[in-house]
Amino acid sequence: MSEVIELASIHDVAKEAGVSVATVSKVINHYPDVSEKTRKKVKNAIALLRYRPNVIARGLVTGRSWTVGVLINIPFTNPYVSMLLEGVKTALENSGYDLMRLSARLNDPDYSFADHCQSRNLDGVVVFGVEKEHRCIQELIQSGIPTMFVDTDVTGHRAGNITTDNRSGVHMAVQHLYELGHRRIACLAGIPGQAVNDSRLAGYRDGLQAASIPYRADYVLAGDYSFESGLTGMQELLQLDAPPTAVVCTSDMTAFGAIHAIEARGLTVPEDISVVGFDNIFEAELFKPALTTVNQNIHTIGVKSIEELIAMIKNPDYPPPVVMEPASLVIRESTARLVGSEITR
């Protein structure tokens, strides 16, 4: 006959640690108002007794599922996504929350993303890559489910957002190219109408205006942040009567495609054309030539999106956060002074 192992209860842990059941609950649920000394005593008791909280019971007591969802509506093969999710993972490791990856049928007129989240009893959700005008996003905001949007400038009673200072980032890129002597500076942009793309295009125009360079519509081509859009966009720019000597790309993947197109024409980067990316993904430093790019703190954005989401979950009165992370320019090998130019203001 097998031996029946009696599982420890929260009362056993409280007795072993010499504290109240409420204090044990606060430690398990990561409340901040417990001293480090008491927290250590409770954790030692939990380890000694091999106590495992009952997730269902915990949810009944706290009114939470201790699960947050993440909806990312761009391919997971995009390096940006892996860096963002690594930040999400870092923030969740010691939070007490689990993560559920969500799929969304955004083109289904009968589908409700808010209902999808509520049916899974999610405490909150992080959303990335969905147009702010989309019906599902508006339903989610109105539902009151705590939500953090990444790179989407929408807010609501229980919804905040986090992004990079895209405008100043691209402005810095244009200024850098101008200081290298470039005057024919093109832009391989992203998806028209998206807040991120609009901000980066505004930064491009800011940079041109600050340098007294006239705006040329034929130097600005829309894309979708992919390698392929950089490839085809650069091919089109190279066919112009006066092709650009430099190009700002609104993603590193687009920049990689642009460089491939330039080299396929027998030209070189940066000797013939300088190229700047945006994101500073891991591959940017390994690419040949190493890519000059606008750095956004992707990992930090992932971390803060979860930290702010949990703050909203824990406190219904927590103001919906609007967070803007600073951008910076990382200068590498893909940009150089224009040969034969004289830099003048």
Side-chain angles (χ1 to χ4, degrees):
M1 184 175 180
S2 61
E3 181 183 355
V4 176
I5 299 175
E6 186 175 346
L7 298 177
S9 70
I10 192 170
H11 296 276
D12 297 325
V13 174
K15 183 177 179 181
E16 177 67 30
V19 299
S20 68
V21 170
T23 298
V24 175
S25 178
K26 284 185 175 183
V27 172
I28 293 171
N29 294 316
H30 302 274
Y31 282 83
D33 57 336
V34 180
S35 70
E36 193 57 39
K37 181 179 178 181
T38 300
R39 193 179 301 276
K40 187 174 181 181
K41 284 168 58 178
V42 172
K43 287 186 175 181
N44 287 341
I46 288 172
L48 178 66
L49 298 175
R50 297 184 179 179
Y51 171 69
R52 296 292 180 269
N54 185 305
V55 176
I56 296 175
R58 183 187 182 196
L60 290 173
V61 172
T62 63
R64 302 179 196 162
S65 66
W66 296 92
T67 303
V68 297
V70 59
L71 170 65
I72 298 181
N73 192 41
I74 62 174
F76 272 61
T77 52
N78 189 311
Y80 181 101
V81 174
S82 62
M83 295 175 72
L84 182 72
L85 287 177
E86 189 60 33
V88 167
K89 174 178 174 289
T90 297
L92 286 173
E93 281 176 349
N94 298 309
S95 70
Y97 285 82
D98 291 319
L99 181 68
M100 179 183 292
R101 175 189 167 188
L102 301 170
S103 57
R105 303 187 301 275
L106 297 176
N107 295 322
D108 183 347
D110 298 321
Y111 174 81
S112 168
F113 182 58
D115 289 348
H116 186 72
C117 294
Q118 289 171 333
S119 68
R120 283 154 178 77
N121 196 30
L122 297 178
D123 291 337
V125 62
V126 173
V127 179
F128 174 62
V130 183
E131 299 282 352
K132 67 179 180 179
E133 293 83 7
H134 196 285
R135 170 184 56 82
C136 287
I137 295 305
Q138 297 307 313
E139 289 177 357
L140 182 61
I141 294 171
Q142 293 166 14
S143 74
I145 298 171
T147 305
M148 277 299 291
F149 293 98
V150 178
D151 282 345
T152 303
D153 61 338
V154 293
T155 56
H157 174 60
R158 300 284 280 149
N161 68 71
I162 182 169
T163 189
T164 297
D165 191 348
N166 296 286
R167 186 167 184 164
S168 70
V170 175
H171 187 169
M172 283 187 282
V174 174
Q175 181 181 5
H176 168 64
L177 293 170
Y178 175 79
E179 290 172 351
L180 292 174
H182 296 277
R183 301 295 181 265
R184 301 205 305 268
I185 304 171
C187 180
L188 292 179
I191 299 172
Q194 282 192 348
V196 168
N197 184 62
D198 291 346
S199 294
R200 293 178 187 177
L201 277 177
Y204 171 72
R205 284 181 173 271
D206 290 345
L208 294 182
Q209 185 175 14
S212 298
I213 299 174
Y215 175 85
R216 292 182 51 162
D218 59 344
Y219 271 14
V220 179
L221 299 177
D224 60 5
Y225 311 106
S226 68
F227 178 94
E228 290 74 18
S229 70
L231 179 68
T232 57
M234 194 69 230
Q235 288 171 340
E236 186 172 338
L237 290 173
L238 289 171
Q239 293 172 2
L240 295 174
D241 291 337
T245 63
V247 59
V248 176
C249 303
T250 52
S251 82
D252 288 345
M253 293 302 296
T254 297
F256 296 157
I259 291 173
H260 185 80
I262 292 167
E263 292 177 343
R265 285 287 296 269
L267 303 172
T268 58
V269 175
E271 289 79 7
D272 295 306
I273 301 178
S274 286
V275 177
V276 181
F278 198 113
D279 286 335
N280 196 26
I281 60 176
F282 178 71
E283 292 80 358
E285 189 172 8
L286 304 179
F287 197 80
K288 295 299 179 185
L291 187 65
T292 294
T293 184
V294 178
N295 176 64
Q296 56 174 334
N297 301 313
I298 303 172
H299 184 272
T300 300
I301 288 173
V303 169
K304 288 188 177 180
S305 67
I306 291 296
E307 290 178 344
E308 295 289 354
L309 179 65
I310 291 175
M312 282 194 287
I313 292 170
K314 288 184 174 180
N315 181 4
D317 296 323
Y318 189 80
V322 176
V323 183
M324 182 175 287
E325 284 292 301
S328 58
L329 186 66
V330 180
I331 301 173
R332 298 194 178 104
E333 299 170 353
S334 66
T335 53
R337 189 178 188 280
L338 183 65
V339 175
S341 72
E342 292 297 330
I343 300 177
T344 58
R345 291 299 300 179

